[in-house]
Amino acid sequence: MPTISSETLHASCVAIGERAVLIEGPSGSGKSDLALRLIDRGAHLISDDYTMLLRRGNQVFANPPATIAGKMEVRGLGILPIPHVDNLPVALMISLTNDHSRMPFERTTRSIAGVEVPVVALDSFPASAPIKVEMALKQLVTGR
């Protein structure tokens, strides 16, 4: 029987291709802003602010809580309806930081519902942040 466990994180989540990318950070750190910029580049909303994670076998799948599915807080505009997808495997977690180091942080992982997920620390506010998320995901998937 497959291992099933769940966890809810204070994290936004988008789908890039067929993979979920979690975006975690304290309130006001730019989770929704970065998610919105990724959506503008072709990603799809999974969940804004909170994400439910369900482990099946050796993968964790991302879903929105029912109360906020298809909704996103856009500062200055309020809570808006946004098309969303769900039930995609988590490939990466972005941990928001305000550290402006030129060299990459040491690669780390985080256990989510018992599965180790790669973590990349980024500042969400530079214009290049969405591109860096896409590059980090591509690097994980292709190895380059």
Side-chain angles (χ1 to χ4, degrees):
M1 180 170 216
T3 304
I4 298 176
S5 59
S6 65
E7 188 173 332
T8 300
L9 291 182
H10 183 208
S12 293
C13 190
V14 297
I16 299 176
E18 294 297 315
R19 293 177 173 83
V21 176
L22 291 162
I23 304 168
E24 71 150 4
S27 293
S29 63
K31 293 184 299 293
S32 296
D33 183 80
L34 179 55
L36 186 62
R37 289 185 284 145
L38 284 161
I39 291 166
D40 187 53
R41 292 180 53 83
H44 298 281
L45 177 68
I46 293 177
S47 188
D48 183 40
D49 208 35
Y50 283 92
T51 303
M52 294 175 24
L53 298 143
L54 176 67
R55 176 181 179 175
R56 289 194 307 266
N58 63 353
Q59 288 189 301
V60 176
F61 293 82
N63 290 285
T67 55
I68 60 171
K71 298 175 185 172
M72 184 173 203
E73 180 181 356
V74 179
R75 287 192 188 244
L77 298 178
I79 298 174
L80 301 177
I82 303 279
H84 77 286
V85 297
D86 58 21
N87 204 37
L88 289 174
V90 175
L92 175 65
M93 172 180 270
I94 300 298
S95 182
L96 299 182
T97 179
N98 59 5
D99 187 330
H100 303 286
S101 298
R102 287 185 60 196
M103 298 308 290
F105 292 97
E106 185 176 320
R107 292 263 169 138
T108 61
T109 62
R110 177 165 168 191
S111 179
I112 299 174
V115 175
E116 293 300 315
V117 174
V119 177
V120 173
L122 287 177
D123 182 347
S124 69
F125 294 112
S128 62
I131 300 164
K132 290 177 183 178
V133 171
E134 293 166 349
M135 292 174 89
L137 181 61
K138 181 179 179 183
Q139 194 175 46
L140 282 170
V141 172
T142 67
R144 6 178 211 143

